[in-house]
Amino acid sequence: MTAVITDTAIVGAPVDRVDGPAKVTGAARYPSDVCYPDLAHAALVQSAIAAGTISGIDAGQALAAPGVLAVITHQNCPPLADAPATPLGPSPRFPLRDNRIVHYGQHVAVVVADTPEQAVAAARLVAIDYQRAEPVLGIGNPEAPVVRNPRLETERGDVTAALASAAVTYDETFTTPAEVNNPIGLFATAARWDGGRLVVHDCTQWPMMTRHVLATVFGLPEDDVRVLVPYLGGGFGAGLITWPHVILAALAARVTGRPVKLVLTRPQMFTSVGHRAQTVQRLRLGATRDFTLTAIDHDATSTVGAQDATMEPVTAVTPLSYACANVATHGRQVRLNVPNPGWLRAPGKAVGNFSLESALDELSYALGIDPVDLRLRNHADVNPQSGRPWSSNALRECYLAGAKHFGWAGRDPAVRSMRDGQWLVGYGMAGVTFGGFYGPCRASITLSRDGTARVRSAATDIGTGTYTVAAQLTAELLGLRTSQVVVEIGDSDLPPAPQSGGSGLATALSTAIHAAAGNLLRAFLDLAPGGSPLHGRSPDEVSVADGCIHLIADPSAGLAYTDLLAGGDLDEVTADGEVTPQAIAAGMPPAGAFAAHFAEVRVDEDLGLVRVTRMTSAVDAGRILNEKLARSQILGAVVMGIGMTLFEETVFDPATGRIANPTFADYLIPVSADIPDLDVIFVGELDRSNPVGVKGLGEIGIVGVPAAIANAVYHATGRRIRSLPITIDKLL
Ligand code: MOS
């Protein structure tokens, strides 16, 4: 068990994000803003069919168009090494390897020109002849090749026997559609070859991974690739993969000998940077009449690209969710001619929770028990998979505090019992077990003669607040003001950091900063001159405040960092800190965050219109590093969850495989009028898996929202919708 820091003053405070002014004034440079004097621009040509081959390409007209520097197709694409697997799985298929087409919108050529307009105009002039094949489409298509993945098969106890002998059983099927990440910031890559070195600004959530992929593909030493992303206009998981367009931008720069920028268009964002796989899930439950869950069987089918290998981990946290003796999960993927799915905020968990928490709600009606009580009775007091204690778990408090705050006690348990004029009113709730993870990370801190500290790590801030919480934590640990800390991240030349993804970065980076700050304090104590009160003292004997190190035993005795530097005739001192895979494995497995969402909906009895009228989200995310940013993170995720529940669906035309709604006019997301007052409350205790007590909360806010709303819709109307999104047609 790790000793966790306590009594913080700066950490937790709801300070404004430190990068706010740069963003508001336009000083923050996003990858699409990058400019060089001799910058050339690339435009993609994408396949107009979903399956088949290219039988001919005529690039003559495009090459003759004004300003055009190059047209790269599979016919003239220089040989490149295969992109390597990353810790998240194999890299996507590189589309210019041969003449095969596996999805609509596949990149088939890249045109490079002096201006973006010239590139786009010339891209339209690339003439492509196709040999069409019948695309394999539709998750239920019996022709679709099926991939079984042993990693998705888990079992504890004997689910078959438990289901056979259960007093009450449940067996229903749920469906969830494809959805897109589509951050407002269009994904962009600006690539420049500087001698033999490749410098790339890219919308990545993981600079070290993108460096590794580009180094491998271009046969370069890792140090000869630099990936920069000081700011990212949203990611939601799209930036966890180095997509083919990133490689194409770097290739275009190499071929033309000019720096090249490639900015995806909005429709290209729908086909080029992944999406949430479509799923069909069968959920079976067994229970006793006295409210004990005896069996959970979660069987998931999800979609994957025809020649790719990403995986929606639909059932990943099902075995952790309840203290149920018999739990089995199954998974298979069907291969379709669709763009390759990737990672979208809370991959697997967001869709898996919808079926599990809807099923629990249905079971509560079958058993005649309050849905919150049913969950409390089957609460997993220890990790039900390992039998070991959680590093922290306040799920029980999430249920209780959330219910109290929401006014759950005012709910009439009977369906269709609450009404406001023509509006049927319903209350629904869902619990969330998220699961924990964090990766190895390094950070360095430099403290200088001007009294400021510089923290450096190759982490990214994807809009979540990494700059701010890193500054707060460093200030706290060194006794500085937040304004005295400069955070340098978003650069693969900095000390290696894991992805900003999987809700794991705050824990990893906090742990590395904690280690670096400890080492820095030791280095400063070593500078204390003989005869000074700090001489020969250990970090345990001192505290820090106001830029000074004090003796705990005698707070009047202390020295300023700047005096220690001056005494040692030094400009600065740097210390590194890291959390290693070994240390993570030897420590307590992180439990991850927990939550409970409570929703009130109003459904127009005649029109089937659903309005979410209020929500309470109770979240256990361990130590909250910044209350304002944490709240914003949950609010944004709940809004995304409302979108997932009521609006979002990527529609693949069943005949052609073309995405029928590839713009924000056609692909619906919530607008302000769709979003009611959202309440967020934080409960819980410091997590024991890391010295800062932190648990990531980037994703958990979306998980559970669909089930809470669907359960409320049932309570309001008596209509159980097991298919997202919950649109009017499904309610009429
Ligand atoms: Mo999130 S899908 O881990 O960026």
Side-chain angles (χ1 to χ4, degrees):
M1 193 178 296
T2 310
V4 180
I5 59 166
T6 53
D7 299 330
T8 60
I10 302 171
V11 160
V15 302
D16 292 344
R17 59 175 71 233
V18 297
D19 48 330
K23 286 183 168 172
V24 172
T25 58
R29 203 163 65 142
Y30 295 86
S32 59
D33 296 329
V34 170
C35 207
Y36 300 110
D38 52 346
L39 183 65
H41 299 267
L44 294 164
V45 181
Q46 296 188 304
S47 168
I49 65 168
T53 53
I54 297 173
S55 48
I57 299 185
D58 182 354
Q61 250 195 303
L63 277 166
V68 172
L69 304 166
V71 178
I72 306 169
T73 70
H74 76 273
Q75 294 172 335
N76 64 355
C77 182
L80 297 171
D82 286 332
T86 77
L88 291 181
S91 284
R93 168 183 186 271
F94 185 68
L96 295 197
R97 182 82 67 217
D98 53 44
N99 70 340
R100 286 175 300 165
I101 302 293
V102 295
H103 69 87
Y104 192 96
Q106 175 185 317
H107 310 322
V108 293
V110 57
V111 176
V112 194
D114 286 328
T115 71
E117 294 80 8
Q118 288 170 335
V120 168
R124 295 205 189 97
L125 301 176
V126 178
I128 301 179
D129 287 326
Y130 298 101
Q131 199 78 46
R132 271 166 216 270
E134 195 59 40
V136 179
L137 297 165
I139 192 168
N141 188 333
E143 311 274 294
V146 174
V147 194
R148 294 208 75 93
N149 190 326
R151 277 204 295 144
L152 300 172
E153 306 286 332
T154 67
E155 179 154 15
R156 76 168 176 259
D158 184 341
V159 172
T160 310
L163 283 171
S165 63
V168 180
T169 56
Y170 170 90
D171 184 354
E172 293 290 353
T173 297
F174 295 80
T175 64
T176 63
E179 297 153 4
V180 288
N181 307 55
N182 248 312
I184 289 295
L186 295 169
F187 268 34
T189 307
R192 173 168 63 95
W193 290 81
D194 190 357
R197 197 167 195 232
L198 173 61
V199 180
V200 164
H201 289 256
D202 180 55
C203 291
T204 178
Q205 293 172 234
W206 195 354
M208 300 312 296
M209 179 274 297
T210 297
R211 179 178 90 158
H212 176 56
V213 170
L214 291 173
T216 306
V217 166
F218 290 99
L220 300 167
E222 303 257 333
D223 283 347
D224 281 352
V225 179
R226 185 178 186 189
V227 176
L228 293 142
V229 55
Y231 297 97
L232 176 72
F236 310 115
L240 293 173
I241 291 173
T242 301
W243 297 100
H245 73 268
V246 180
I247 295 168
L248 289 175
L251 180 65
R254 204 180 76 179
V255 166
T256 59
R258 298 258 298 264
V260 168
K261 183 158 78 178
L262 171 58
V263 185
L264 297 183
T265 64
R266 182 59 64 189
Q268 287 171 353
M269 290 289 285
F270 284 74
T271 55
S272 311
V273 295
H275 62 270
R276 198 191 293 286
Q278 202 179 341
T279 77
V280 176
Q281 304 171 49
R282 181 182 180 194
L283 213 299
R284 286 185 289 170
L285 301 176
T288 65
R289 293 253 173 240
D290 61 355
F291 318 121
T292 302
L293 267 176
T294 56
I296 303 173
D297 187 291
H298 193 170
D299 179 294
T301 302
S302 60
T303 51
V304 66
Q307 291 180 8
D308 276 299
T310 46
M311 184 187 75
E312 185 77 19
V314 179
T315 58
V317 292
T318 302
L320 300 179
S321 299
Y322 290 99
C324 176
N326 308 291
V327 179
T329 65
H330 321 274
R332 74 194 64 71
Q333 293 177 286
V334 297
R335 292 198 171 284
L336 301 178
N337 289 117
V338 296
N340 194 33
W343 309 107
L344 204 177
R345 205 175 201 170
K349 300 162 185 181
V351 287
N353 178 287
F354 169 58
S355 57
L356 180 62
E357 290 296 302
S358 294
L360 259 285
D361 194 66
E362 296 197 59
L363 185 67
S364 75
Y365 287 97
L367 294 174
I369 181 174
D370 180 272
V372 176
D373 286 347
L374 179 62
R375 287 166 173 83
L376 286 168
R377 280 169 190 265
N378 292 282
H379 179 261
D381 294 335
V382 296
N383 180 318
Q385 234 6 37
S386 67
R388 294 168 61 188
W390 299 105
S391 58
S392 61
N393 182 340
L395 179 56
R396 205 179 272 286
E397 288 77 3
C398 291
Y399 292 136
L400 296 173
K404 183 159 185 247
H405 192 90
F406 179 81
W408 184 255
R411 172 184 186 260
D412 182 332
V415 297
R416 292 183 74 94
S417 61
M418 293 161 58
R419 168 185 290 275
D420 177 7
Q422 97 228 37
W423 297 95
L424 299 168
V425 178
Y427 289 2
M429 59 80 57
V432 187
T433 296
F434 191 81
F437 137 89
Y438 65 103
C441 187
R442 280 195 228 162
S444 79
I445 307 176
T446 300
L447 213 150
S448 306
R449 278 285 270 282
D450 63 2
T452 64
R454 210 149 35 97
V455 193
R456 308 164 86 233
S457 178
T460 41
D461 188 332
I462 62 174
T464 44
T466 310
Y467 279 107
T468 311
V469 296
Q472 286 179 275
L473 180 61
T474 305
E476 181 85 52
L477 295 172
L478 294 176
L480 304 173
R481 293 188 305 276
T482 304
S483 60
Q484 290 175 298
V485 181
V486 173
V487 179
E488 285 179 35
I489 55 176
D491 179 350
S492 66
D493 277 0
L494 297 171
Q499 68 269 39
S500 187
S503 300
L505 183 65
T507 307
L509 184 60
S510 294
T511 304
I513 288 174
H514 183 268
N519 291 336
L520 192 70
L521 192 56
R522 248 170 246 117
F524 270 96
L525 288 172
D526 287 346
L527 289 178
S532 85
L534 297 181
H535 183 74
R537 300 294 184 168
S538 79
D540 304 344
E541 296 174 276
V542 300
S543 65
V544 290
D546 304 323
C548 295
I549 308 176
H550 299 273
L551 271 185
I552 293 171
D554 176 9
S556 68
L559 280 171
Y561 293 115
T562 47
D563 291 338
L564 286 163
L565 285 170
D569 200 20
L570 295 168
D571 289 332
E572 59 182 40
V573 170
T574 297
D576 298 327
E578 71 177 322
V579 54
T580 62
Q582 294 75 15
I584 293 168
M588 199 172 191
F594 298 88
H597 295 284
F598 294 80
E600 179 190 279
V601 302
R602 280 159 200 246
V603 183
D604 185 299
E605 195 174 13
D606 300 322
L607 302 179
L609 196 63
V610 179
R611 292 263 182 234
V612 178
T613 41
R614 62 195 181 91
M615 284 194 70
T616 295
S617 303
V619 179
D620 160 25
R623 178 192 299 285
I624 299 303
L625 292 166
N626 177 318
E627 209 268 346
K628 183 175 184 179
L629 291 174
R631 181 174 302 276
S632 288
Q633 199 57 25
I634 301 299
L635 290 175
V638 169
V639 171
M640 207 168 183
I642 292 173
M644 178 179 175
T645 311
L646 299 180
F647 307 108
E648 294 189 50
E649 174 169 19
T650 306
V651 179
F652 296 100
D653 175 55
T656 63
R658 182 173 162 267
I659 293 178
N661 55 347
T663 72
F664 280 156
D666 303 301
Y667 181 96
L668 299 185
I669 54 174
V671 298
S672 296
D674 297 310
I675 303 303
D677 279 346
L678 302 173
D679 280 328
V680 178
I681 54 176
F682 292 109
V683 301
E685 53 182 1
L686 302 183
D687 191 69
R688 292 180 289 275
S689 73
N690 66 89
V692 185
V694 87
K695 307 201 268 193
L697 49 61
E699 297 169 287
I700 190 165
I702 191 173
V703 188
V705 173
I709 295 172
N711 295 342
V713 167
Y714 175 76
H715 180 236
T717 64
R719 297 288 302 279
R720 178 61 64 176
I721 309 299
R722 301 187 191 91
S723 164
L724 294 181
I726 302 173
T727 44
I728 291 171
D729 51 304
K730 292 174 185 168
L731 277 168
L732 288 180

